[in-house]
Amino acid sequence: MPTPKSADAKKPDDCLIVIFGASGDLTKRKLVPALHYLWKNGQAPEKFAILGVSRSKYTDKAYRDEAYDFADKEYESRADFDDFASRLYYEAADSTKSEGWPAIKERICEIQKKHELGANVLFYLSMAPQFFEPIIVQIGSQGMVTEGRKFCTIDTHEPPWQRIVVEKPFGSDPKSAVHLNNVLAQVFDEDEIYRIDHYLGKELVQNLMVLRFANSMFEPIWNHRYVDHVQITASESVGVEGRGSYYDGPAGGSLRDMVQSHLLQVASIVAMEPPITLDASDVRTEKIKVFKALRVPEPEDVPNIAVRGQYGDGSVNHREVTAYREEEGVDPNSQTDTFAAVKFHVDTWRWGNTPFYLRSGKAMAQKKTEIVVYLKPTPHKLFREQARQFRPNQILISVQPNPGIRLRFEGKVPGTGMSIKDVVMDFDYEDQWKVEPPDGYAILLYDCLRGDQTNYKHRDEIESSWDACQPILDYWAENPQDDLPNYNAGTWGPSAADVMMAKDGRYWRND
Ligand SMILES: NC(=O)c1ccc[n+]([C@@H]2O[C@H](COP(=O)([O-])OP(=O)(O)OC[C@H]3O[C@@H](n4cnc5c(N)ncnc54)[C@H](OP(=O)(O)O)[C@@H]3O)[C@@H](O)[C@H]2O)c1
């Protein structure tokens, strides 16, 4: 399938991209392929180079060979890839310690000179979160960020920039998130900090703003008067699959890993007011208002608004799944939630009393990510005799699989008399555009290279989303649950999540 081109022709500035954690999974599987994609599509800077840094020993050649293993061979000849890879370098060093830095700095200077890149540098922290702070401190103390460049630089029109992309998880609670933000602020200005959330790079998530603000038919009903509730689901059919120690440790479960970050980000785009312009600061101002309006639950509310789950064994798509507590690296008595469902409220004029139900889980019946806006029933039931039960009208934004936007409403069954059935109007993304969407990392890296922070998180968004989730985490920590595991792999999670919905007269969309 061909790949789509961006309508925006402005090329990013020339720069060096330094990736810390270059031997890791994310760099090899996502970041280098994303940069390769941008280069192939003419969206990379005119002049650029990539320096990968981690402790494992590679020569430049060995690293380039390994990078080719991750390239999309269907569209890529080795010769083409080598052209891109001639800009790819590797330095074996420990970037968390000052001893590692003389070699890193020497390599940076050498590559900048060789490729005539100037002083623009994009640092990417693709490391486990405990290494974020030591590397940021090193970047600062090694003088890698040009101090005072905004005011003292000779060319004030185009001063060089240094930016940093910080991976997830961003903190593990409100205090650690604030601390990390403060550490970053000591070295970088807020407009140079790119807190990445790859959900914000997904095509259908980006389409949400277009759906809402480029059309006149949705916005009039996009409020508490017409919307009954919103459901956002991100379910995975696989379990932790060998990454038990990460999931039971730094990732810290479904609420921390998924709901606090990705799902609340998606919810903020559903809930935000129209921004004044599409400038990053205008868009982020509106998102921040949503985060600030998130109702922070009281401890006594938690049992009514939040459900945690943990999978036992079972099977998904005829594949046996080992129970979470039996995975290597997982505490056999672990209380970590592999499923979380939370009812949030956004206390604004627009959303007064309209719940946002967010859920995410591992080892579930299906892999899907979707946003469903459920509309309220008609005020007068004119067709009550024709249909015993109407399904609510739904606006379904399917992120994956089958990306697209679907409207579900009632229609007349053909024939004499009046019989009614729900029907679906379908905008199928791939059918419509005949293109394969680029990976979210390519979209987001392109933005960052052009200095566009729209789809990156502001510190206030992160700190407020932690504030809304922490009371739930505290309650769960103080009240261990003795029925875990409470759902079988291959199901839709614990029955308590259905009970929470049923009490509100609602149900999860499990189609
Ligand atoms: N993988 C994904 O799909 C994915 C998706 C979303 C977000 N993320 C986030 O991206 C980041 C990287 O994830 P990953 O999956 O790529 O991790 P990973 O495979 O474990 O790689 C981590 C990197 O850290 C380096 N490292 C490990 N221990 C170190 C130490 N003591 N001192 C210095 N360097 C050390 C490793 O290189 P050496 O051992 O060679 O030094 C490696 O390059 C994490 O924050 C993760 O949450 C990952």
Side-chain angles (χ1 to χ4, degrees):
M1 255 193 206
T3 48
K5 298 259 183 205
S6 165
D8 188 340
K10 183 185 174 287
K11 277 226 172 205
D13 300 332
D14 297 343
C15 68
L16 172 66
I17 301 156
V18 181
I19 304 177
F20 300 105
S23 63
D25 175 68
L26 182 72
T27 307
K28 291 184 196 163
R29 219 166 35 80
K30 293 285 185 184
L31 304 183
V32 174
L35 290 164
H36 179 211
Y37 170 91
L38 294 180
W39 172 81
K40 217 168 51 177
N41 284 277
Q43 293 166 328
E46 198 63 47
K47 292 181 195 162
F48 75 100
I50 305 159
L51 172 62
V53 180
S54 46
R55 297 167 309 164
S56 305
K57 304 276 179 240
Y58 288 95
T59 58
D60 288 342
K61 178 172 179 322
Y63 193 66
R64 290 168 186 179
D65 287 346
E66 196 163 299
Y68 184 61
D69 292 342
F70 289 86
D72 187 349
K73 310 283 189 316
E74 202 180 329
Y75 305 110
E76 204 53 47
S77 72
R78 179 70 207 222
D80 263 0
F81 187 78
D82 282 347
D83 192 355
F84 163 78
S86 64
R87 298 160 178 84
L88 186 56
Y89 298 88
Y90 184 85
E91 183 64 36
D94 188 342
S95 53
T96 64
K97 304 208 168 74
S98 53
E99 303 88 271
W101 275 85
I104 299 172
K105 282 163 79 173
E106 195 178 315
R107 209 68 203 287
I108 288 177
C109 289
E110 179 195 310
I111 298 167
Q112 282 174 327
K113 250 189 226 148
K114 180 171 172 194
H115 290 268
E116 300 173 336
L117 301 178
N120 296 335
V121 185
L122 170 60
F123 298 104
Y124 198 119
L125 298 186
S126 178
M127 307 272 292
Q130 67 269 32
F131 303 121
F132 293 169
E133 179 171 355
I135 300 179
I136 296 161
V137 169
Q138 287 299 331
I139 291 173
S141 62
Q142 298 291 335
M144 302 308 298
V145 177
T146 327
E147 277 179 51
R149 66 202 167 284
K150 295 218 166 102
F151 308 105
C152 312
T153 182
I154 295 168
D155 180 357
T156 49
H157 296 295
E158 283 203 41
W161 49 256
Q162 288 84 36
R163 298 179 187 142
I164 186 162
V165 181
V166 187
E167 261 300 337
K168 63 173 271 201
F170 199 101
S172 54
D173 54 24
K175 198 169 154 215
S176 55
V178 170
H179 177 74
L180 182 55
N181 276 326
N182 291 342
V183 170
L184 278 163
Q186 279 169 16
V187 180
F188 293 92
D189 289 341
E190 182 61 32
D191 64 2
E192 297 161 326
I193 302 168
Y194 290 72
R195 301 171 190 85
I196 196 162
D197 184 325
H198 63 275
Y199 271 59
L200 299 181
K202 290 180 187 285
E203 274 290 344
L204 266 293
V205 173
Q206 298 208 332
N207 218 322
L208 256 175
M209 290 252 290
V210 178
L211 178 83
R212 290 194 54 200
F213 305 133
N215 297 298
S216 55
M217 63 180 161
F218 296 106
E219 202 47 24
I221 56 167
W222 209 266
N223 56 55
H224 70 97
R225 282 186 207 89
Y226 297 95
V227 174
D228 178 73
H229 72 283
V230 177
Q231 283 183 29
I232 302 178
T233 295
S235 58
E236 287 180 78
S237 53
V238 293
V240 292
E241 307 228 305
R243 287 175 72 91
S245 55
Y246 172 72
Y247 197 79
D248 219 42
S254 211
L255 181 59
R256 277 197 172 86
D257 190 42
M258 293 294 297
V259 177
Q260 178 277 331
S261 51
H262 307 308
L263 298 197
L264 277 174
Q265 276 294 324
V266 173
S268 73
I269 304 173
V270 177
M272 70 193 276
E273 293 301 315
I276 294 167
T277 72
L278 289 177
D279 279 358
S281 71
D282 288 336
V283 173
R284 298 205 306 178
T285 297
E286 296 307 334
K287 282 177 69 196
I288 290 168
K289 284 190 206 161
V290 174
F291 282 101
K292 290 202 184 296
L294 275 179
R295 191 180 300 169
V296 177
E298 296 298 331
E300 62 272 20
D301 297 335
V302 173
N304 300 321
I305 59 135
V307 172
R308 73 179 134 175
Q310 195 184 74
Y311 64 87
D313 55 14
S315 77
V316 187
N317 304 328
H318 311 294
R319 203 173 40 82
E320 294 306 307
V321 176
T322 310
Y324 177 68
R325 287 181 178 183
E326 285 162 30
E327 282 277 356
E328 203 184 323
V330 173
D331 174 354
N333 298 311
S334 172
Q335 284 282 318
T336 302
D337 48 301
T338 63
F339 172 97
V342 182
K343 174 164 77 166
F344 286 100
H345 275 98
V346 180
D347 287 329
T348 60
W349 199 276
R350 180 187 288 264
W351 293 116
N353 225 16
T354 309
F356 282 65
Y357 298 94
L358 274 48
R359 72 174 166 166
S360 179
K362 285 194 173 289
M364 291 181 67
Q366 251 180 53
K367 177 181 168 67
K368 71 170 178 178
T369 304
E370 68 179 23
I371 303 141
V372 197
V373 177
Y374 280 79
L375 299 181
K376 288 185 172 168
T378 54
H380 175 46
K381 307 237 175 324
L382 204 52
F383 291 100
R384 70 171 81 75
E385 283 179 16
Q386 282 74 19
R388 244 182 295 138
Q389 206 185 358
F390 287 111
R391 290 175 69 160
N393 292 167
Q394 296 168 22
I395 304 168
L396 164 67
I397 297 111
S398 175
V399 179
Q400 64 175 6
N402 309 324
I405 298 173
R406 291 163 186 111
L407 302 185
R408 184 190 283 273
F409 53 90
E410 300 299 320
K412 179 183 173 298
V413 178
T416 53
M418 181 64 80
S419 178
I420 286 177
K421 199 169 179 316
D422 62 309
V423 293
V424 176
M425 196 181 268
D426 190 354
F427 153 47
D428 184 286
Y429 180 94
E430 287 178 5
D431 243 25
Q432 173 71 33
W433 302 117
K434 310 276 185 274
V435 293
E436 196 174 289
D439 187 76
Y441 276 97
I443 293 179
L444 293 173
L445 274 167
Y446 180 64
D447 288 349
C448 175
L449 287 166
R450 290 160 64 249
D452 182 351
Q453 289 184 304
T454 310
N455 293 307
Y456 287 85
K457 303 189 270 195
H458 189 277
R459 69 176 290 170
D460 294 351
E461 297 174 43
I462 292 189
E463 291 173 14
S464 297
S465 65
W466 273 119
D467 288 343
C469 291
Q470 194 58 37
I472 304 170
L473 290 164
D474 288 344
Y475 184 91
W476 285 356
E478 284 156 21
N479 297 277
Q481 196 163 313
D482 53 19
D483 68 346
L484 300 181
N486 59 355
Y487 71 98
N488 288 330
T491 65
W492 281 106
S495 56
D498 299 320
V499 172
M500 178 175 83
M501 288 297 256
K503 278 186 188 159
D504 291 351
R506 299 176 178 118
Y507 54 87
W508 293 107
R509 206 192 92 89
N510 289 340
D511 302 0

